[in-house]
Amino acid sequence: MAAHFSTEREIPGPRGLPLVGVIPMLARDPFGYLVGAARDYGGLVRMRLGPATVYLVSDPAHVRHILVDNHANYWKGPILRGIKLIIGDGIFGSDGQLWQRQRRLMSPAFHRPRLTAMIGVMTDVVEAATVRWNDRIVRKTPVDMLEEMVPINIEIVLRTLFGTSIDYSEIAKLRAASDVIFHHSEKLVFSFFLPMRIPRPGHRRFIAALSVVDEVVERIIAERRKDPADRGDLLSMLLLAHDDEGTQAAMDDRQVRDEVMSILMAGYESTAAALGWTWYLLSQHPDADARLQTELDFVLGGRVPSLQDLPRLVYTRQVISESLRLYPPFPTFFRTSYGRDQLGPYNLPPDAALIISPYVTHRLTAHWPDPEEFDPTRFDADHSTERPNEAYYPFGLGRRLCIGANLSLLEQQVVVATVAQRFDREIASGYVLEPHYDIALRPRNGVPMMLTPR
């Protein structure tokens, strides 16, 4: 039986202002506005951004339909043009058959059994980082727990996936350049409806910063080419891969560069942002922090976590899950429809630009009572049947589920367990939270904390 497409019900949404639509409201408070739009108009909202019409999708059933059930009808859309400026044809900037090949090639590097073997590397990196904090602790000056998560995550990604390391000064240089790139990427994301030939402010600084990161990535690749033996890590998989067309051609340096850039840039920034939010939320909820400390003391007793410990750190994992619910590092995904589709009673036109927002879905009162409250017990096993699986998707859903999700979750658990049992943490006096979205959602003013050894 042919599907019936409704022509009677128009997708609801705000009228907006003449010419600019809802752009001024989004500019003032983007995620507050999106949450309010979903509350006022439902799980599918039509909005006008200047000359473009976009659709906000937050209803879990619609999200599943787009990302899982009818995923073949959707692609990443024009936003890919902006992403490709940064990561070329890497896994996060590709689609179709190229993406399928990349995903198939790279997936073994992210399988959980292999990642769990890296826990020792992770704890070594975290413990070395805590030593760098000693001087500030002695001088009683704040440690920015967002910024400090960055070198930790860069080092973990480099050592576990690429079998290399860079010194702390190079990490700082890489971080400064990445900040410029991420800030420019925000302009690319929110002006996706404008032709790429129209220059955005700061483009020259963006190109210069990109060359800094490229230099680091290209050096990593060149050094490994000198000793291309299979080390079982992701970089070996990339360098030893051959195409599927029978030519046995290996990836050239540009292809490898794009993949390394994709994983490095997206991987460290998103996990660092997630950890920053976790430290902030724990500072605002002393009861949750106390329960976390009790679990860590009981399970670890001052030891660094091992593979055998992680399944017993149940509340630690719930804290991380709740932090990801409130502040998913990637709060929006973008898709464009190839052909028309039907979402509930609504007819979605071809070439429809969609904003799919876990940030909004994670705040729907139909699935999350008191959604603005930080409550890790939402993730108790006996609560798992209270909501559809698609009501929670901080790493996406379906075939495009983030390839690094397991690595990020494992890393967050190791970092939280290692740091939290060593230090009591108090947010710096006068701190004001301000969420900010570049390539990932993070606190604009960092997370400055006073640390006291336990």
Side-chain angles (χ1 to χ4, degrees):
M1 180 180 296
H4 172 68
F5 292 93
S6 171
T7 58
E8 297 179 359
R9 297 194 61 177
E10 181 180 1
I11 297 173
R15 293 176 60 87
L17 301 175
L19 299 179
V20 295
V22 302
I23 288 177
M25 291 77 91
L26 276 174
R28 282 195 298 270
D29 180 13
F31 294 104
Y33 183 78
L34 294 179
V35 170
R39 181 190 62 233
D40 294 341
Y41 297 101
L44 179 63
V45 183
R46 182 180 183 273
M47 299 184 298
R48 191 165 50 82
L49 302 183
T53 297
V54 299
Y55 301 88
L56 171 66
V57 181
S58 60
D59 181 270
H62 297 341
V63 172
R64 176 180 174 83
H65 180 82
I66 293 165
L67 297 182
V68 181
D69 298 334
N70 197 27
H71 65 84
N73 188 50
Y74 297 90
W75 66 298
K76 285 192 172 182
I79 193 174
L80 272 181
R81 295 195 300 267
I83 295 174
K84 285 178 181 290
L85 287 178
I86 304 171
I87 59 176
D89 286 322
I91 191 168
F92 299 120
S94 61
D95 224 320
Q97 291 186 347
L98 175 60
W99 173 84
Q100 292 177 23
R101 178 178 181 270
Q102 292 165 315
R103 181 82 181 207
R104 184 170 61 251
L105 167 68
M106 298 167 66
S107 288
F110 295 91
H111 288 169
R112 192 169 180 85
R114 186 180 179 283
L115 296 177
T116 53
M118 302 173 182
I119 291 175
V121 172
M122 295 180 184
T123 55
D124 288 348
V125 171
V126 178
E127 293 211 297
T130 63
V131 173
R132 295 198 298 268
W133 305 342
N134 285 339
D135 182 58
R136 278 168 286 175
I137 292 171
V138 169
R139 290 188 286 111
K140 299 187 183 303
T141 58
V143 176
D144 189 330
M145 293 299 283
L146 172 62
E147 289 304 307
E148 290 299 324
M149 295 303 102
V150 171
I152 287 174
N153 283 280
I154 290 176
E155 184 73 1
I156 287 175
V157 169
L158 288 176
R159 290 180 60 179
T160 58
L161 296 180
F162 304 129
T164 190
S165 182
I166 60 178
D167 63 38
Y168 190 70
S169 62
E170 274 197 299
I171 288 178
K173 182 179 174 183
L174 182 65
R175 172 58 167 165
S178 298
D179 274 347
V180 174
I181 293 169
F182 295 151
H183 181 66
H184 194 72
S185 73
E186 180 189 22
K187 298 183 181 71
L188 297 174
V189 167
F190 285 108
S191 62
F192 69 91
F193 50 86
L194 295 177
M196 290 302 296
R197 65 178 180 274
I198 297 178
R200 277 67 166 178
H203 185 74
R204 289 185 178 179
R205 289 188 66 223
F206 164 74
I207 295 299
L210 196 58
S211 69
V212 171
V213 180
D214 268 330
E215 181 183 346
V216 174
V217 170
E218 289 166 3
R219 188 173 71 251
I220 290 171
I221 296 169
E223 289 174 354
R224 180 64 71 87
R225 289 259 190 222
K226 297 175 184 176
D227 180 18
D230 188 355
R231 303 182 193 180
D233 59 17
L234 177 61
L235 187 52
S236 288
M237 294 176 186
L238 296 173
L239 292 174
L240 297 173
H242 295 83
D243 67 25
D244 299 326
E245 304 300 325
T247 66
Q248 294 300 301
M251 282 190 182
D252 61 27
D253 282 353
R254 181 65 191 188
Q255 289 173 295
V256 177
R257 174 266 181 203
D258 290 349
E259 301 300 353
V260 173
M261 183 75 83
S262 291
I263 298 300
L264 177 61
M265 297 291 280
Y268 90 74
E269 177 66 15
S270 59
T271 302
L275 285 164
W277 287 115
T278 297
W279 297 128
Y280 168 77
L281 289 165
L282 286 170
S283 76
Q284 303 301 297
H285 298 86
D287 290 347
D289 199 14
R291 181 170 172 178
L292 172 69
Q293 298 286 11
T294 298
E295 178 178 84
L296 296 176
D297 291 343
F298 178 76
V299 174
L300 301 178
R303 295 182 291 104
V304 295
S306 68
L307 174 61
Q308 292 72 29
D309 295 321
L310 296 184
R312 301 172 62 199
L313 297 176
V314 176
Y315 190 71
T316 306
R317 180 63 179 267
Q318 291 175 347
V319 165
I320 292 165
S321 296
E322 177 69 345
S323 176
L324 288 168
R325 181 188 71 83
L326 281 169
Y327 297 105
F330 299 120
T332 54
F333 307 133
F334 298 87
R335 293 292 186 271
T336 298
S337 62
Y338 285 118
R340 67 176 185 169
D341 200 359
Q342 189 161 5
L343 299 176
Y346 302 113
N347 183 14
L348 192 70
D351 297 317
L354 309 179
I355 299 174
I356 302 172
S357 178
Y359 184 98
V360 176
T361 303
H362 294 176
R363 283 169 166 75
L364 296 177
T365 55
H367 308 293
W368 304 97
D370 300 316
E372 298 295 338
E373 293 298 315
F374 176 72
D375 179 10
T377 64
R378 297 179 197 272
F379 292 90
D380 285 344
D382 56 357
H383 292 325
S384 62
T385 60
E386 296 177 358
R387 56 186 174 264
N389 290 335
E390 297 78 19
Y392 183 72
Y393 54 106
F395 295 100
L397 286 173
R399 298 164 74 250
R400 298 299 298 239
L401 177 74
C402 177
I403 195 171
N406 284 337
L407 174 60
S408 180
L409 289 170
L410 182 67
E411 189 179 331
Q412 289 180 61
Q413 198 171 11
V414 169
V415 172
V416 170
T418 304
V419 173
Q421 69 170 336
R422 280 175 173 45
F423 303 101
D424 289 325
R425 293 146 280 105
E426 182 179 355
I427 201 78
S429 176
Y431 175 78
V432 177
L433 175 69
E434 183 182 351
H436 178 65
Y437 181 45
D438 277 342
I439 197 171
L441 182 64
R442 54 179 172 165
R444 183 189 295 274
N445 302 316
V447 186
M449 307 193 85
M450 305 301 297
L451 304 185
T452 305
R454 296 183 72 226

